[in-house]
Every structure is written in C-alpha cells, then in structure tokens.
C-alpha cells in the first residue's frame, strides 16, 4: 500500500469514527488511532495499544481527537498530570521494543527523543470511544457492550493500521472469544498462547503478535503495587526477545 492510499484510508476511518454511537446521546466519540501518520507509515515495528476508554476530570462532550493532542506535544512533560502514569509506560513500552532494552530512566522518558519514538511507531485505540467523566476506574459492563457494538470498527482499524505488535492493556478479557479449544482475539482466529510470564501473556497468529498485560497505568498509580514499572516492561521485553 502506498502512503497516499494509507493516509486516505486512515482519514476515512476517522470520519466514520465520528459517527459511532455513544451511550450518552449528547456525547461525541473521542477520535483515536495513529499518532504521527508519517512516522508510523515508515515504521518496521508498528505498535498498537488497545486500551479501555478515554476519561476526563471535567465535563466534556467529546468530539475531539486524542491522537491530535498527543501529536502536538513535544515530550511527556507536556502531558496532563492525570494522564502521565498511562503515557509514561506507553513510552517505556515503545522504547523497550524499539531499542531492545528496558530503560525506566525518568529523564529519558521525559525527553523529546523518547516521545518522538513513541509518536512515530505507535497507534492508540480504545474499545469504548466515549469519555468517562470524573472516574479513572472503567465500567466493565460498558466496555463489554462497547466491544460488541464497536467490534467490526475496531477490526477495521487494526486491518488498516496493520501493526506488528498489539499491546492489550488490561483489555484481553473484553476482546477474547473462546469457542471449544479455539481462542479468538479481535481480528485473529485460532490464536496460540506462546509464552506466559508473570502478568504477561503472549499470543501469536499468522498476522501478528499479541501481548496481554495490565493497563499501563496499573504499575505506578493505584493501590498496592503488585508489579513495578520496570517488571512490567521487562516482562514485555523478555516475551518479545524469546519469540
């Protein structure tokens, strides 16, 4: 696929996303997807994060693009404090995969270099495109219904973005269907569980690699820290490097 065709298909997806239904009839979907389309198109290690839902601490009817917002930033330092725990680990995951090492050095994660690596090699989508207002804990019932309603569109996003890796950040249980002994995940049928580390599972198909881990904010933000950020990224590093 040439670049112009790719850009057109992504633009058409964004337009279609704007018409997806929301539970709140006054709300509009939050546009997600590829952060920097030029860098992503050239990347040999495309990474797609599949997360739960966007949220806001203030009243917001949506309709804006989270990826446009991310692309305008120069580094993690510009990220809102509430969103930093999530995006710090997203940046760390991308660095781990691309640089083939685990670096949780905060100066590096806050650097322009690390942020550009993140922007140029990753895409970011939510199962539910509707904002959760004032809550950082997701509604599982809403996520299940959102997946049922958005499944075809989510698969279309994956097919067009064509990532090498899909990182399921706390979303494995919402996008998995088990039929007899077959495991189906999103766009892939009969997926094989290849490796399993502490709180990290690796599935493969003939299309790509799926890595199921906790939500990226989990290791560093809420409650008891069952797993540290370094362990979180190291599990992903070990999983990929032993394939």
């Amino acid at each position: 696929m040439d670049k112009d065709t790719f850009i057109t298909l992504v633009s058409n997806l964004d337009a279609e996303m704007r018409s997806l239904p929301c539970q709140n009839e006054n709300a509009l979907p939050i546009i997600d997807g590829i952060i920097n389309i030029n860098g992503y198109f050239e990347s040999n290690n495309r990474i797609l994060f599949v997360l739960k839902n966007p949220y806001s601490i203030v009243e917001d009817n949506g309709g804006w693009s989270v990826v446009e917002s991310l692309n305008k930033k120069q580094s993690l330092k510009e990220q809102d404090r509430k969103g930093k725990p999530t995006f710090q680990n997203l940046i760390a995951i991308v660095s781990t995969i691309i640089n083939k090492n685990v670096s949780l050095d905060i100066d590096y994660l806050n650097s322009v270099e690390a942020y550009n690596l993140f922007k140029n090699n990753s895409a970011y989508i939510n199962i539910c495109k509707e904002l959760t207002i004032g809550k950082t804990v997701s509604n599982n019932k809403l996520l299940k219904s959102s997946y049922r309603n958005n499944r075809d569109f989510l698969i279309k996003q994956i097919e067009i973005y064509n990532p090498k890796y899909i990182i399921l950040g706390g979303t494995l249980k919402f996008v998995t269907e088990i039929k007899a002994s077959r495991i189906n995940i999103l766009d892939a049928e009969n997926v094989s569980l290849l490796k399993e580390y502490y709180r990290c599972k690796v599935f493969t198909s003939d299309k790509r690699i799926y890595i199921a881990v906790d939500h990226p904010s989990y290791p560093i933000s809420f409650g008891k820290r069952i797993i540290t950020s370094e362990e979180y990224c190291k599990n992903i590093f070990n999983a990929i490097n032993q394939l």
Side-chain angles (χ1 to χ4, degrees), residues 18 22 26-31 60-66 68 129 131:
R18 295 182 189 279
C22 291
N26 295 317
L28 294 171
I30 300 299
I31 307 305
D60 187 330
N61 290 328
W64 48 273
S65 170
V66 66
E68 283 183 10
K129 312 296 187 186
L131 276 172

Side-chain angles (χ1 to χ4, degrees), residues 198-199 217-229 231:
Y198 177 61
R199 305 186 77 85
S217 68
Y218 181 77
I220 58 177
S221 63
F222 303 115
K224 296 180 180 179
R225 299 186 181 185
I226 298 174
I227 183 171
T228 66
S229 290
E231 290 169 332

